[in-house]
Amino acid sequence: APMIGARLARFDGRKALAVPGVVDVVEIDSGVAVVAADFWSASQGCAVLDTRWTQERWQDLGTAAIYAKLDASLETRGKLTQRRGAAVRTLRGADCVVEARYRTPYLAHCTIEPPNCVADVRADRCELWVGTQDQTETQKVAARLTGLPRENVHVHTTFLGGGFGRRLETDFVAEAVELSAKLKRPVQVVWTREDDLQHDRFRPAHAVALKASLDKNGRPTAWWQRIAGPPVALVLSDVPYAVPNFREEKVTTRSPLPVGAWRGVGAVQNAFAIESFIDELAHRAAADPLDYRLALLRGSPRHCAVLQTTAEMIRWRDAAKRGRGRGIAVYRAFGSWTAQAAEVSCTAAGVIRVHRIACAIDCGQAVNPDTIRAQIEGGIALGLSAALKEEIEVVDGRVKQTSLAEYPILAYSEMPEIDVQIIANGEAPGGVGEPPVPLVAPAVANAIFAATGIRLRSLPLRL
């Protein structure tokens, strides 16, 4: 369906069947499938397929309305999720209060390979060849659709071609199983990039309102935050700083777009707000952003260790080159402590250039250091692409982006130099695939502020 929530009303497959190589046009639960001997013939058949869709209530929906709903949600009282002391009372009586709002957009996964799956459904068994992050759910879906016992469904796991959470979903698997069962032959379902971008399980849009009060020395006496978004974005946030009064509320806002896990899940959104806001407090206190953090993290040695290591890697204490700024961020997620520092320059035309990113990680016992470095480098590339370029937009009830021309990702020429250091210890192993992603956006945003004096509070970062 071209529009969010629309359903198939009718279709005429005669023009598609006239395309050489097309052998059938089949209605399936998610829409219409053009079956052909090869991908090119199938795609050409899709291009001339005549379809009519129901008009659903989202036909007038746009990005501005989605963001307006998030902003309105921040004005309502949320569910209390974390509290210590009396943040609201302290803020009410404070002389110095800093306030800010941060926002992140819908994002596509945009994997190297679009969703694809080979299915062979027979009377007594079903075989699947698929790059999946969830073999169990893949098997369950096929068993449900075919009526076969689960032990008769065999999943052959192939290379992913990129996952990032997209291949936790099984929509493309269901299509392959349904088609194979109807056609009584093996089939390979391949999505186009247009289908992939417009029918993803998107990372949801998300917004955070923050307030903090500062004493005469610039130290925070209270921290209050309210987070709005769909449930998948409302994971427990980590604010490690020694603030005596703290309150967090969450407001659930349902998304009209289908949403799902995106590498870093809610941490990648929360870290952008939290680590940008602590930088704002440091600036208001006229303090060095690194020293300000370290002073508030004296009870958190693992946070301090990755921060200090990253600062040494980026040469934080040395003056940056003319026209450049440096930013730093730290966050704990997925069982690991990670810090990043970025060195950035900005042209008069508003072009943001990230020259270098340093990253230190404490993931406990390092089982395979080379794999850890590779995961961090890949996570930084993904995080930087999202921070600088990516945004899914909705116009008149449909996703605007249909190709990489409209949804650009980071190019090789834009990749910064990356330094990685693993802090080895004997603690229990933590994650390494997701922890580096959340820190890229705040480190770069803080570096942009250092270089230009402009504070960017929404993604993607644009001057």
Side-chain angles (χ1 to χ4, degrees):
M3 295 175 64
I4 299 163
R7 299 292 295 177
L8 183 68
R10 65 176 181 84
F11 74 95
D12 185 339
R14 284 176 292 183
K15 290 182 181 178
L17 287 167
V19 173
V22 173
V23 297
D24 210 344
V25 180
V26 182
E27 182 177 351
I28 57 175
D29 184 64
S30 60
V32 185
V34 175
V35 186
D38 56 83
F39 176 81
W40 176 252
S41 299
S43 65
Q44 294 305 293
C46 282
V48 297
L49 188 65
D50 182 14
T51 57
R52 293 292 182 272
W53 304 86
T54 62
Q55 298 297 303
E56 297 289 339
R57 64 192 180 103
W58 302 117
Q59 60 185 329
D60 298 322
L61 184 70
T63 299
I66 293 171
Y67 289 151
K69 182 179 179 181
L70 282 172
D71 288 339
S73 296
L74 293 177
E75 301 297 335
T76 64
R77 190 180 182 93
K79 179 182 177 182
L80 180 63
T81 51
Q82 296 186 68
R83 179 178 64 185
R84 62 177 177 269
V88 174
R89 186 169 66 244
T90 304
L91 285 163
R92 194 179 297 126
D95 293 327
C96 178
V97 176
V98 181
E99 298 186 43
R101 289 192 177 192
Y102 286 82
R103 188 178 71 202
T104 59
Y106 284 101
L107 290 185
H109 293 82
C110 203
T111 55
I112 300 169
E113 283 186 17
N116 61 89
C117 176
V118 172
D120 184 6
V121 177
R122 305 188 183 189
D124 60 346
R125 66 188 282 121
C126 171
E127 292 199 71
L128 302 170
W129 288 263
V130 60
T132 176
Q133 292 175 261
D134 194 338
Q135 290 83 356
T136 300
E137 189 60 30
T138 294
Q139 187 186 53
K140 286 181 180 178
V141 165
R144 175 176 55 80
L145 290 173
T146 60
L148 292 168
R150 277 183 57 187
E151 58 267 24
N152 288 20
V153 177
H154 301 271
V155 180
H156 305 274
T157 304
T158 66
F159 289 118
L160 286 175
F164 320 128
R166 178 62 178 96
R167 299 189 201 278
L168 289 168
E169 307 294 340
T170 56
D171 46 349
F172 52 96
V173 175
E175 290 179 346
V177 171
E178 186 179 354
L179 271 171
S180 180
K182 285 187 174 183
L183 299 172
K184 301 187 185 309
R185 62 187 294 182
V187 298
Q188 180 187 38
V189 164
V190 181
W191 285 25
T192 63
R193 182 62 72 188
E194 179 179 0
D195 286 340
D196 175 42
L197 286 171
Q198 295 201 308
H199 299 279
D200 201 350
R201 298 298 187 265
F202 302 98
R203 190 189 83 176
H206 162 281
V208 186
L210 301 109
K211 298 178 186 178
S213 56
L214 304 181
D215 64 19
K216 62 181 181 180
N217 296 315
R219 293 175 65 91
T221 56
W223 180 303
W224 173 96
Q225 61 187 35
R226 181 178 288 156
I227 306 171
V232 71
L234 300 182
V235 300
L236 196 67
S237 65
D238 180 58
V239 181
Y241 302 106
V243 183
N245 301 286
F246 178 82
R247 183 182 180 90
E248 178 186 77
E249 299 176 12
K250 293 183 178 175
V251 182
T252 300
T253 58
R254 297 297 171 182
S255 171
L257 277 70
V259 296
W262 190 96
R263 188 174 179 180
V265 202
V268 78
Q269 295 159 298
N270 291 332
F272 172 58
I274 292 165
E275 281 302 295
S276 296
F277 190 58
I278 195 70
D279 230 62
E280 294 202 48
L281 301 187
H283 176 68
R284 180 65 68 91
D288 176 88
L290 171 64
D291 292 337
Y292 193 79
R293 286 174 170 83
L294 290 173
L296 297 171
L297 289 169
R298 287 175 181 164
S300 302
R302 297 177 81 171
H303 283 96
C304 291
V306 291
L307 267 175
Q308 290 169 328
T309 302
T310 300
E312 292 168 4
M313 294 164 67
I314 204 78
R315 296 185 177 179
W316 184 269
R317 303 298 182 189
D318 297 342
K321 290 183 179 179
R322 183 179 176 85
R324 296 188 184 185
R326 294 186 186 131
I328 200 162
V330 65
Y331 203 72
R332 177 176 63 89
F334 304 98
S336 294
W337 286 253
T338 312
Q340 281 180 30
E343 187 167 291
V344 171
S345 65
C346 305
T347 69
V351 177
I352 300 166
R353 176 69 184 179
V354 181
H355 300 276
R356 187 179 174 205
I357 292 180
C359 178
I361 186 168
D362 173 358
C363 57
Q365 185 175 357
V367 177
N368 188 328
D370 186 56
T371 295
I372 294 170
R373 289 189 179 90
Q375 286 288 326
I376 291 173
E377 290 164 357
I380 289 173
L382 184 74
L384 187 58
S385 184
L388 296 180
K389 292 176 170 288
E390 299 179 33
E391 180 180 14
I392 285 291
E393 299 168 281
V394 179
V395 178
D396 295 331
R398 67 178 67 195
V399 172
K400 175 183 175 181
Q401 285 72 24
T402 62
S403 69
L404 292 178
E406 297 170 300
Y407 192 85
I409 59 175
L410 196 74
Y412 282 125
S413 61
E414 298 168 304
M415 191 68 185
E417 176 187 348
I418 295 177
D419 296 327
V420 177
Q421 188 159 331
I422 303 163
I423 297 179
N425 57 49
E427 300 293 335
V432 296
E434 298 187 90
V437 183
L439 289 168
V440 182
V444 171
N446 293 338
I448 291 170
F449 176 78
T452 66
I454 299 171
R455 182 69 68 181
L456 302 178
R457 299 187 179 93
S458 62
L459 298 179
L461 299 168
R462 291 172 180 153
L463 289 168

